Amino acid sequence: MKNSIRFFCASSLLAVSLSCIASDFRLVSPDGELAFEIGVDSQGKPFYSVNLKNLPVISNSALGLKADEFVIADGLEMNVVATDSVDSSWSPVWGEFESVRNHYNEALLNFCDRNGLQFNLRVRLFDDGLGFRYEVPEQKNVNYVTLRDELTEFNLPADMTMYVIPGDYDSDEFLYTISPLSRLREAMPNPKHSESSRILGLAVQTPMLMKHPSRPLYVNIHEAALVGYPAMALDVNPESMSLSSHLTPDKTGVKAYLQVPFVSPWRTLIITENAPDMLASQLIYNLNEPCAIEDTSWIKPQKFMGVWWEMFTGGKTWAYSDKYNAKPGITDYAALSSNGRHPANTANVKRYIDFAAANNIPALLVEGWNEGWEDWAGYKKNRQFIFDKPYPDFALDSLVQYAADRNVKLIMHHETAGNAADYERQLDDAFRFMKKHGYDAVKTGYVGHIIPRSEYHSSQWMVDHYNHVVSKAADYGIMVDSHEAVRPTGMMRTYPNWVAQESARGGEYESFGGNPPYHTALIPFTRLKGGPMDYTPGLFEPDLAKYGKGNTSRGLTTLARQLALYLTMPSPLQMLCDLPENYQRFPDAFQFLKDVPVEWSDSRYLEAEPAEYITVARKDKNSADWYVGSITDDQPRTATVDLSFLPKGESYEATIYQDGDDADFRTNPQSYKISSRKVNEKTKLKIKVAPGGGFAIRLKKN
Amino acid sequence: MKNSIRFFCASSLLAVSLSCIASDFRLVSPDGELAFEIGVDSQGKPFYSVNLKNLPVISNSALGLKADEFVIADGLEMNVVATDSVDSSWSPVWGEFESVRNHYNEALLNFCDRNGLQFNLRVRLFDDGLGFRYEVPEQKNVNYVTLRDELTEFNLPADMTMYVIPGDYDSDEFLYTISPLSRLREAMPNPKHSESSRILGLAVQTPMLMKHPSRPLYVNIHEAALVGYPAMALDVNPESMSLSSHLTPDKTGVKAYLQVPFVSPWRTLIITENAPDMLASQLIYNLNEPCAIEDTSWIKPQKFMGVWWEMFTGGKTWAYSDKYNAKPGITDYAALSSNGRHPANTANVKRYIDFAAANNIPALLVEGWNEGWEDWAGYKKNRQFIFDKPYPDFALDSLVQYAADRNVKLIMHHETAGNAADYERQLDDAFRFMKKHGYDAVKTGYVGHIIPRSEYHSSQWMVDHYNHVVSKAADYGIMVDSHEAVRPTGMMRTYPNWVAQESARGGEYESFGGNPPYHTALIPFTRLKGGPMDYTPGLFEPDLAKYGKGNTSRGLTTLARQLALYLTMPSPLQMLCDLPENYQRFPDAFQFLKDVPVEWSDSRYLEAEPAEYITVARKDKNSADWYVGSITDDQPRTATVDLSFLPKGESYEATIYQDGDDADFRTNPQSYKISSRKVNEKTKLKIKVAPGGGFAIRLKKN
């Protein structure tokens, strides 16, 4: 993964000369279509703009840094330090492509004032967008930096259509608002999650998507390689059509503690003329550092089931007992009696293991296995959970063995209740415990307000925390699937053991009122640009009222759509979220979930429009088979599946899992039909998709 | 250590009947001299008082707890739940005595209001004082407790003479103020340490000492077994002669996050009629839990030297290089050049090892061995130090081996710069590194403001932190000497691997202006009641100007006094703080430091008065020899050493190290004389002590 080939071609690269005198400067993408212009105005304030095919994408926008120790924002002179051009490729451990091309032109610009205060800006232009970051070099009189503000702006050239969730320091589990920028203030709802710390004023989170009102232009703003820095949200000014950086502070108001030299994360703009190209972009991964793990053979993409959904359907508990004030590590749990509603018990877990083994599902997550779930104080206590004390009805060692005998791995669960400090206190012990007992993957959770109490989920200290956990997990040979952690920024390239994150409104919300169909047709354009999501698809029984346990939520999906999500929401860790008995009710549809892989060598986005529809084809990394998935929003449509990507002259057996003719996510979600036919590269399938529906196709090479 | 013999003798124990009807209640000490009276007033407010021989020690004082979830302070009914009497003994792993008698009468009282809100108060009366603690039991409607205040008062019966340092959430490195309570407000200076967070208003820290103005009465207020709770300071109201509990908050103002059932630390009052009994009291240890470590054979009391004082004398640095912004774990230190002023280099460390080996000093602390000392940002950066990266000029493995070949152990140094969060992040790795490389003791440090930034040195989270470090160290077989940690509360009984703490103004201040002689004649009555101190005695060259390196501080001590400190400030970990070359200049005096042990089987306080003088005799745990130490304040005196504690009929050779006739700590500190004579139990020595002086005697059995 380190086969980058660097060459220098200043003459072809630069539209202006490389003089080191302050001047406006223009950098273009390898295909020459995308241009980044930068300079300083008459007050020495830096500004930049971005154009695609000579039409504006970002109009003149400020740059700068503000700290207790300095303000570097005006009185600046710009100099070009260096330029470069790179065309290399790298092979991800997992992902949508076997090989990713990393092709960009780069410039390093210095902005310096009369006192020698300075930052560099490194800019990389790809054909599908760009990244730039602040690089603060060693300089006179500055060592520590108590960062108060990053002054980066993204001024927009038109009343863009915004696809955004509200800015919040602690949560991102929201539905998206889709609105013209000019009406966003009125359109944005204010639903707070229990752990919300909403940004005052109008603000949105990244990754966010924008669409031009009249031109073919899609722009995603996010960041790449979030290391040692707080996550960035964006303040929105609809009147001036301006977005500006809003870094997550700690609770004392400081954005970041830094020491020179340092670099900021990349501020990324994925810029495409059509929606499929946006979905295919690997720009954010390209801006991350290469893999830091030497031997990655232990990182195993996989599907998994979970002793989990039972707690959402109603009546069941993560807790073993009803002793509301039991304390992990102190209370003698063996002396407590089970509440009889605890699915993480040995007999039930064995049932899941048997089911997984019978269906070649290689892993099983068990939640509620450890002491501490009886109460939920979160922020109000200094120890909520303990990570090496199984409940008395969870025979850990014998279950691990029972699973191993059936080629199933148990997945560990570390819910921290937001107490990252206590998790770090226990981390080595917890990981040692995992390895000693044969676990090699963990789902982490941060439900609740954060301890240390000075921190938010997205503040600098917590960013360091998540990265530390993943890095330490790599030392132990452990894969991590983090929930309620800061939104991903492509760090999985560097730490491919970070196999998935939640960091958005996931499938669990089907049990809390449902995810409207547009949601899963949108998050591949937004949240997923940062990295794969543990969305937990595979819901076969969307009507939770059927359990008669008081939960009357309805999943807003057809059954066939759930199959398609394994293609439209690619992840190396992919849950089959539903209960075994629900899969047993639909064995023919379940066959697709048994077949669908989680590692891909190629991906083709056939058609897409944000929040409306996505159709994607992917090639299995370990066979010649292809798979297709397609979803729509709440409107029916007919998808076109042009199979011209298939190798010429080869014949494939297509098994098509699609909505029944009378299917509708509101009224008849479990109507589906399965058909087979021979296809080849000349085939163009027209497939009807029900409202809230979808389809999945397996293309097995004959 | 678990030989407690419990028996119940209610009739002899209680002055009132054990009815469970609310009433005033009186508990007396085993010798019947000390009485604790408790009841509720007409508003149902609890109050207690303490009398010694029917004279007041604490006059009527309130009790109570205030939390977000409840206030339990009035409308209460008191009931006696149980009484008990215990007379047992336990053998400390190290300490002043081979065996400690734990002899007390106990009562458990319940205070409950009409809504069922309640706490219990457990009281233990010893002959030399008492302890009481709140025990909040399970109860209806209360699970979590967000503690805002503990309402405990200590109302005084007279204008007591106070021996106190100012209340501060972050530092205790202050000189004591000695003043009548009535004038304390004017007498208390306001010197702030760089990491000070001074309590507003008039407040003092515990352990604090008081002396009655007209009666023979000494009272020490402190706490025992500080676990899961913030440290307590005392607000002082001179007008009402009242002290009241002031718990250390976190920076959001919360004192503690607790869950029922819980217990507070013991609030302790050591109460004696003379000063020597105050020094001899083991009450605070008695109120701690028994040893939690099964096999303590690896805990080895010891003397040690340090590559340390060179940094205080001027010109030398902990840092290897002068690269002010080097970053541990990131900067390539091997590429930096030494500043030439770095004593923790291989050649110099070998010199110390040779000296230690030649003089039977079994251990050597090396400070400045690890990456990170180049800058000191503390609170202003998220990683100051790294604990497994030696500087390039410190050949760690070969030095450990070099030391081992000479029967010397290296002591590790973990300065955290107050970043407890990052220390926890690194803790397992740091301890594993220590054990891998043959270290079994660590000096920890917390210089600077605390990270997590919500915390103070003495807040609940940090108390948990120190206890966590010590407990985890025990798991690894590591002894801990913590500096700048919360003041000790006798926890060393439970974790005897916590061999010493600083937690007061220590010997290092001889290089920052000096410690006035009264200081070391006082802290055995205050700070040392919580546990042993790593005071770092043994200063043979008090005139730092002699080094010509810009430090012109003078230690305020004679040389002979420094020998005495090994007796008056007992600690299982006792430094010889000075440079080898200074010990080589005074080989005859140095002989005492070679001889003096650090483990005792018996101790006799022969004469003492706080802040004036202390004379103590101690018996070596590993021989028949006795040792005597004596110090004075800045006034000369003649000490009387009554040797009647020696076994009858046995002859001892006394080697007396005393101040020279012309010695004076200000003008002639290095004048001393050494003499020998035969003594026995009938001998009464009269020994002159110079201003700021002292003497030490070795009594070797013939």
Side-chain angles (χ1 to χ4, degrees):
Chain A
M1 265 162 291
K2 291 178 178 173
N3 57 342
S4 88
I5 303 154
R6 289 180 160 261
F7 54 91
F8 188 81
C9 55
S11 59
S12 70
L13 175 67
L14 302 172
V16 298
S17 76
L18 269 177
S19 79
C20 279
I21 305 301
S23 73
D24 285 359
F25 175 80
R26 186 165 189 264
L27 183 72
V28 297
S29 58
D31 66 5
E33 306 279 25
L34 191 67
F36 179 90
E37 296 186 0
I38 187 160
V40 296
D41 69 11
S42 57
Q43 278 85 50
K45 291 187 182 177
F47 61 89
Y48 76 96
S49 62
V50 179
N51 297 297
L52 180 64
K53 296 182 177 170
N54 293 318
L55 292 172
V57 177
I58 299 292
S59 47
N60 275 351
S61 297
L63 296 166
L65 296 173
K66 195 174 160 189
D68 287 352
E69 296 81 2
F70 62 61
V71 177
I72 312 179
D74 54 20
L76 299 170
E77 186 176 282
M78 184 183 84
N79 287 288
V80 179
V81 178
T83 59
D84 197 1
S85 184
V86 169
D87 189 359
S88 62
S89 68
W90 55 281
S91 301
V93 175
W94 45 256
E96 299 179 76
F97 302 94
E98 200 157 39
S99 176
V100 175
R101 187 174 181 190
N102 188 21
H103 188 196
Y104 60 83
N105 291 333
E106 171 176 296
L108 183 65
L109 307 153
N110 177 267
F111 294 86
C112 187
D113 73 12
R114 287 184 183 179
N115 301 315
L117 285 173
Q118 59 189 293
F119 64 75
N120 294 323
L121 196 80
R122 189 178 295 274
V123 190
R124 289 188 182 163
L125 244 68
F126 301 78
D127 290 345
D128 60 353
L130 64 101
F132 60 84
R133 72 178 181 190
Y134 297 90
E135 300 188 353
V136 179
E138 287 194 37
Q139 53 196 284
K140 224 172 46 180
N141 303 329
V142 176
N143 185 5
Y144 313 116
V145 176
T146 309
L147 194 67
R148 294 288 174 177
D149 250 322
E150 184 186 306
L151 305 174
T152 313
E153 287 177 352
F154 305 89
N155 289 323
L156 304 178
D159 187 16
M160 307 285 271
T161 301
M162 313 290 283
Y163 301 78
V164 288
I165 56 173
D168 194 298
Y169 300 142
D170 270 317
S171 182
D172 39 30
E173 299 188 5
F174 303 113
L175 286 175
Y176 280 78
T177 297
I178 304 171
S179 160
L181 171 59
S182 57
R183 293 202 294 273
L184 187 63
R185 200 185 302 278
E186 298 72 38
M188 182 91 86
N190 195 24
K192 289 194 185 175
H193 188 273
S194 60
E195 66 213 25
S196 254
S197 296
R198 186 63 46 82
I199 295 178
L200 296 176
L202 187 62
V204 301
Q205 297 188 45
T206 75
M208 55 86 81
L209 181 73
M210 298 180 290
K211 186 179 165 182
H212 196 282
S214 54
R215 281 196 280 135
L217 177 67
Y218 298 79
V219 181
N220 174 302
I221 301 184
H222 189 35
E223 56 187 316
L226 177 57
V227 176
Y229 213 79
M232 179 181 72
L234 297 171
D235 288 322
V236 180
N237 186 332
E239 290 71 33
S240 62
M241 297 199 300
S242 177
L243 312 176
S244 52
S245 164
H246 182 122
L247 301 179
T248 307
D250 69 16
K251 289 187 185 169
T252 74
V254 171
K255 304 294 173 62
Y257 293 92
L258 298 156
Q259 186 177 11
V260 297
F262 68 86
V263 301
S264 76
W266 295 94
R267 279 56 186 101
T268 62
L269 293 149
I270 309 174
I271 301 165
T272 65
E273 289 184 297
N274 61 63
D277 285 352
M278 172 65 67
L279 293 175
S281 174
Q282 301 292 297
L283 183 143
I284 287 175
Y285 286 123
N286 273 328
L287 287 167
N288 271 270
E289 296 297 313
C291 184
I293 302 171
E294 207 148 319
D295 171 14
T296 59
S297 61
W298 52 272
I299 299 172
K300 296 197 189 306
Q302 59 193 259
K303 290 177 286 191
F304 68 105
M305 294 194 63
V307 176
W308 174 75
W309 194 244
E310 291 187 60
M311 291 80 134
F312 290 86
T313 56
K316 302 289 178 68
T317 62
W318 280 265
Y320 162 69
S321 80
D322 287 340
K323 185 165 167 57
Y324 71 98
N325 61 351
K327 296 180 184 178
I330 295 169
T331 298
D332 177 10
Y333 282 78
L336 305 180
S337 52
S338 167
N339 62 16
R341 292 170 282 112
H342 179 234
N345 68 73
T346 301
N348 195 44
V349 172
K350 280 189 177 170
R351 188 170 71 89
Y352 276 82
I353 294 170
D354 290 342
F355 182 83
N359 295 286
N360 287 318
I361 312 300
L364 174 68
L365 166 72
V366 184
E367 297 200 359
W369 70 277
N370 63 324
E371 295 183 4
W373 292 91
E374 273 70 13
D375 64 342
W376 190 284
Y379 188 83
K380 288 187 74 175
K381 62 197 278 195
N382 288 323
R383 171 150 289 177
Q384 174 76 55
F385 288 109
I386 203 160
F387 303 111
D388 59 0
K389 292 266 183 291
Y391 275 136
D393 61 345
F394 182 79
L396 186 139
D397 273 322
S398 80
L399 282 170
V400 169
Q401 189 58 52
Y402 187 87
D405 291 346
R406 287 154 184 81
N407 284 320
V408 174
K409 277 273 188 183
L410 294 189
I411 295 179
M412 175 53 74
H413 187 223
H414 289 167
E415 174 55 54
T416 69
N419 194 337
D422 193 41
Y423 190 38
E424 295 209 9
R425 197 167 275 179
Q426 298 186 56
L427 194 59
D428 267 282
D429 289 340
F431 283 167
R432 273 196 292 253
F433 181 85
M434 278 180 63
K435 295 310 283 190
K436 181 179 166 194
H437 295 280
Y439 287 84
D440 49 24
V442 62
K443 172 180 171 178
T444 61
Y446 297 88
V447 173
H449 288 287
I450 294 295
I451 304 176
R453 295 186 174 86
S454 43
E455 305 304 325
Y456 294 108
H457 280 75
S458 301
S459 64
Q460 181 195 26
W461 195 93
M462 283 302 293
V463 166
D464 286 351
H465 166 81
Y466 308 121
N467 291 346
H468 168 69
V469 169
V470 167
S471 162
K472 181 154 287 257
D475 294 343
Y476 281 91
I478 288 173
M479 295 177 278
V480 178
D481 166 22
S482 48
H483 282 230
E484 299 90 20
V486 71
R487 41 204 174 273
T489 59
M491 290 284 292
M492 291 83 171
R493 177 181 175 189
T494 312
Y495 286 102
N497 65 315
W498 203 345
V499 282
Q501 291 192 236
E502 186 185 44
S503 305
R505 182 176 164 118
E508 66 188 5
Y509 279 79
E510 302 289 20
S511 77
F512 310 149
N515 284 335
Y518 79 85
H519 183 62
T520 38
L522 176 53
I523 54 181
F525 292 91
T526 55
R527 158 67 183 78
L528 262 58
K529 296 322 296 175
M533 181 170 174
D534 179 18
Y535 179 80
T536 70
L539 186 67
F540 275 22
E541 180 48 75
D543 182 5
L544 274 70
K546 286 204 174 158
Y547 299 101
K549 298 290 186 185
N551 188 341
T552 58
S553 181
R554 275 191 84 93
L556 303 176
T557 176
T558 68
L559 191 152
R561 177 194 190 84
Q562 291 291 313
L563 308 183
L565 294 178
Y566 291 78
L567 282 303
T568 59
M569 310 265 286
S571 172
L573 193 74
Q574 201 70 290
M575 196 180 204
L576 280 61
C577 76
D578 215 330
L579 309 180
E581 48 268 43
N582 289 330
Y583 293 134
Q584 281 161 335
R585 286 165 58 201
F586 305 100
D588 52 354
F590 184 60
Q591 184 62 42
F592 183 81
L593 297 192
K594 291 164 68 172
D595 293 336
V596 67
V598 290
E599 298 185 89
W600 311 105
S601 59
D602 200 1
S603 294
R604 307 292 172 96
Y605 288 93
L606 306 179
E607 48 174 22
E609 189 56 32
E612 296 182 15
Y613 58 88
I614 297 171
T615 304
V616 62
R618 302 189 193 275
K619 183 173 178 297
D620 181 10
K621 197 171 186 177
N622 301 304
S623 78
D625 298 347
W626 284 76
Y627 290 78
V628 177
S630 179
I631 58 171
T632 183
D633 57 10
D634 59 1
Q635 299 301 311
R637 72 183 291 270
T638 299
T640 303
V641 185
D642 180 342
L643 298 182
S644 59
F645 56 81
L646 290 175
K648 278 184 188 165
E650 301 283 359
S651 167
Y652 284 76
E653 179 74 18
T655 309
I656 303 168
Y657 302 75
Q658 68 187 106
D659 295 318
D661 296 337
D662 54 353
D664 186 298
F665 75 105
R666 286 162 295 225
T667 55
N668 198 14
Q670 288 168 329
S671 167
Y672 63 87
K673 59 185 181 185
I674 302 170
S675 59
S676 289
R677 57 171 286 190
K678 284 207 167 22
V679 296
N680 60 31
E681 83 277 10
K682 293 173 189 147
T683 311
K684 279 190 178 54
L685 300 170
K686 295 276 185 186
I687 302 180
K688 282 179 65 178
V689 191
F695 62 85
I697 307 174
R698 183 184 188 196
L699 295 160
K700 191 165 174 52
K701 193 175 173 189
N702 286 318
Chain B
M1 265 163 293
K2 291 180 176 171
N3 58 343
S4 88
I5 303 155
R6 291 182 158 259
F7 54 93
F8 187 81
C9 55
S11 59
S12 70
L13 174 68
L14 303 174
V16 297
S17 75
L18 270 176
S19 79
C20 279
I21 305 302
S23 73
D24 285 359
F25 174 80
R26 187 166 188 263
L27 183 72
V28 296
S29 59
D31 66 6
E33 304 280 25
L34 191 68
F36 179 89
E37 294 185 1
I38 187 161
V40 296
D41 70 9
S42 57
Q43 277 84 49
K45 292 186 183 177
F47 62 89
Y48 76 97
S49 62
V50 179
N51 296 298
L52 179 64
K53 295 182 178 172
N54 293 319
L55 292 171
V57 176
I58 299 292
S59 47
N60 276 351
S61 297
L63 296 166
L65 296 172
K66 195 173 158 187
D68 286 353
E69 296 80 3
F70 62 60
V71 177
I72 313 180
D74 54 20
L76 299 170
E77 188 176 280
M78 184 183 85
N79 288 288
V80 180
V81 178
T83 60
D84 196 1
S85 183
V86 168
D87 189 359
S88 63
S89 68
W90 55 281
S91 300
V93 175
W94 44 257
E96 299 180 76
F97 302 94
E98 201 157 38
S99 176
V100 175
R101 187 176 180 188
N102 188 20
H103 188 195
Y104 61 83
N105 292 332
E106 172 176 296
L108 183 65
L109 306 153
N110 177 265
F111 293 86
C112 187
D113 74 9
R114 286 184 185 180
N115 301 315
L117 287 173
Q118 59 190 293
F119 65 75
N120 294 323
L121 195 80
R122 189 178 296 275
V123 190
R124 288 187 182 164
L125 245 68
F126 301 78
D127 290 345
D128 61 352
L130 64 101
F132 60 84
R133 72 178 182 192
Y134 297 90
E135 300 189 353
V136 179
E138 287 193 37
Q139 52 197 282
K140 223 171 48 180
N141 302 328
V142 177
N143 185 5
Y144 313 116
V145 176
T146 308
L147 194 67
R148 294 287 172 178
D149 249 324
E150 184 187 307
L151 305 175
T152 313
E153 289 177 351
F154 305 90
N155 289 323
L156 304 177
D159 187 15
M160 306 286 272
T161 300
M162 313 289 284
Y163 301 79
V164 288
I165 57 173
D168 194 298
Y169 300 141
D170 270 318
S171 181
D172 39 30
E173 298 188 6
F174 304 112
L175 286 175
Y176 281 77
T177 298
I178 305 172
S179 160
L181 171 59
S182 57
R183 293 202 294 272
L184 187 62
R185 200 185 302 278
E186 297 73 37
M188 182 91 86
N190 196 23
K192 289 195 186 174
H193 188 274
S194 61
E195 65 211 26
S196 255
S197 295
R198 186 64 45 83
I199 297 178
L200 296 176
L202 188 63
V204 300
Q205 297 190 44
T206 76
M208 54 87 81
L209 181 73
M210 299 180 289
K211 186 179 166 183
H212 196 281
S214 55
R215 281 195 280 136
L217 177 68
Y218 298 79
V219 181
N220 175 302
I221 302 184
H222 190 35
E223 57 186 316
L226 177 58
V227 176
Y229 214 80
M232 177 182 74
L234 297 170
D235 288 322
V236 180
N237 186 332
E239 291 71 33
S240 62
M241 298 200 298
S242 177
L243 311 177
S244 52
S245 164
H246 182 123
L247 301 179
T248 307
D250 69 15
K251 288 185 184 168
T252 74
V254 171
K255 305 294 173 63
Y257 293 91
L258 299 156
Q259 186 177 11
V260 297
F262 68 85
V263 301
S264 76
W266 295 94
R267 279 54 186 103
T268 62
L269 294 148
I270 310 175
I271 301 166
T272 65
E273 288 183 298
N274 62 63
D277 284 354
M278 173 64 68
L279 293 175
S281 174
Q282 301 291 297
L283 182 143
I284 288 175
Y285 285 122
N286 273 328
L287 287 168
N288 271 272
E289 295 298 312
C291 183
I293 302 171
E294 208 150 318
D295 172 14
T296 59
S297 60
W298 53 272
I299 300 172
K300 295 197 190 305
Q302 58 192 258
K303 289 177 287 192
F304 68 106
M305 294 195 62
V307 177
W308 174 75
W309 194 243
E310 291 187 61
M311 291 80 133
F312 290 86
T313 58
K316 303 289 179 67
T317 62
W318 280 264
Y320 161 70
S321 81
D322 287 339
K323 184 164 168 58
Y324 70 98
N325 60 352
K327 295 179 183 177
I330 295 169
T331 298
D332 177 10
Y333 281 78
L336 305 180
S337 53
S338 167
N339 61 17
R341 294 170 282 112
H342 180 234
N345 68 72
T346 302
N348 194 43
V349 172
K350 280 187 177 171
R351 188 171 70 89
Y352 276 82
I353 293 169
D354 290 341
F355 182 84
N359 294 286
N360 288 318
I361 312 298
L364 174 68
L365 167 73
V366 184
E367 297 199 358
W369 70 277
N370 63 325
E371 295 183 3
W373 292 90
E374 273 69 14
D375 65 342
W376 190 283
Y379 187 84
K380 288 187 74 174
K381 61 197 279 196
N382 288 323
R383 171 150 291 176
Q384 174 76 54
F385 287 109
I386 203 159
F387 303 112
D388 58 1
K389 292 267 183 289
Y391 275 137
D393 62 345
F394 182 78
L396 186 139
D397 273 323
S398 80
L399 282 170
V400 168
Q401 188 60 49
Y402 188 87
D405 291 345
R406 288 153 184 82
N407 283 319
V408 174
K409 277 276 188 182
L410 294 189
I411 295 179
M412 175 54 74
H413 187 222
H414 289 167
E415 174 54 54
T416 68
N419 194 338
D422 192 42
Y423 190 38
E424 295 208 9
R425 198 167 275 179
Q426 298 187 56
L427 195 60
D428 267 281
D429 288 341
F431 283 167
R432 274 196 291 252
F433 181 85
M434 280 181 62
K435 296 310 284 188
K436 181 179 165 194
H437 295 279
Y439 288 82
D440 48 24
V442 61
K443 172 180 170 177
T444 61
Y446 297 88
V447 173
H449 288 288
I450 294 295
I451 306 177
R453 294 185 174 88
S454 43
E455 305 304 324
Y456 294 108
H457 280 74
S458 302
S459 63
Q460 181 195 25
W461 195 92
M462 284 301 294
V463 166
D464 286 351
H465 167 80
Y466 308 121
N467 292 345
H468 168 68
V469 169
V470 166
S471 162
K472 181 154 288 255
D475 294 344
Y476 280 91
I478 288 173
M479 294 177 280
V480 178
D481 165 23
S482 48
H483 282 230
E484 300 91 20
V486 72
R487 40 206 175 274
T489 59
M491 290 285 292
M492 291 84 171
R493 178 182 176 189
T494 311
Y495 286 102
N497 65 315
W498 204 345
V499 283
Q501 290 192 238
E502 186 184 44
S503 306
R505 182 175 165 118
E508 66 188 6
Y509 279 80
E510 301 289 19
S511 76
F512 311 147
N515 284 334
Y518 79 84
H519 184 62
T520 37
L522 176 53
I523 52 180
F525 291 92
T526 55
R527 158 68 182 78
L528 263 58
K529 296 322 297 174
M533 180 170 174
D534 179 18
Y535 179 79
T536 70
L539 187 67
F540 274 24
E541 180 49 75
D543 181 6
L544 274 70
K546 286 203 175 161
Y547 299 101
K549 298 289 185 185
N551 188 342
T552 58
S553 180
R554 275 191 82 92
L556 304 176
T557 176
T558 68
L559 191 152
R561 178 194 188 83
Q562 290 291 313
L563 308 184
L565 294 178
Y566 291 78
L567 282 303
T568 60
M569 309 264 287
S571 173
L573 193 74
Q574 200 72 288
M575 196 180 205
L576 280 60
C577 77
D578 216 329
L579 309 179
E581 47 269 43
N582 288 329
Y583 292 134
Q584 281 162 335
R585 286 165 58 200
F586 306 99
D588 53 354
F590 185 59
Q591 184 61 44
F592 183 80
L593 297 192
K594 292 165 69 172
D595 294 336
V596 67
V598 289
E599 299 185 89
W600 310 106
S601 59
D602 200 1
S603 294
R604 306 291 173 96
Y605 288 92
L606 306 179
E607 46 174 25
E609 189 56 33
E612 296 182 15
Y613 58 87
I614 297 171
T615 304
V616 62
R618 302 189 193 274
K619 184 172 176 299
D620 180 12
K621 198 171 185 177
N622 301 305
S623 78
D625 299 348
W626 283 76
Y627 290 79
V628 177
S630 179
I631 59 171
T632 183
D633 57 10
D634 58 2
Q635 298 301 310
R637 70 183 294 270
T638 299
T640 302
V641 185
D642 181 341
L643 298 181
S644 58
F645 57 80
L646 291 175
K648 278 184 188 165
E650 301 282 0
S651 168
Y652 284 76
E653 180 75 16
T655 308
I656 303 169
Y657 301 77
Q658 68 188 104
D659 295 319
D661 295 337
D662 55 353
D664 186 298
F665 75 105
R666 286 162 295 225
T667 55
N668 198 14
Q670 288 168 330
S671 168
Y672 63 86
K673 59 186 182 184
I674 301 171
S675 59
S676 289
R677 55 171 289 189
K678 285 206 166 26
V679 298
N680 60 30
E681 85 275 11
K682 292 173 191 148
T683 309
K684 281 191 175 53
L685 300 169
K686 294 278 183 183
I687 302 181
K688 281 178 66 177
V689 191
F695 62 83
I697 307 175
R698 183 184 189 195
L699 295 160
K700 190 165 173 54
K701 194 176 172 189
N702 285 317

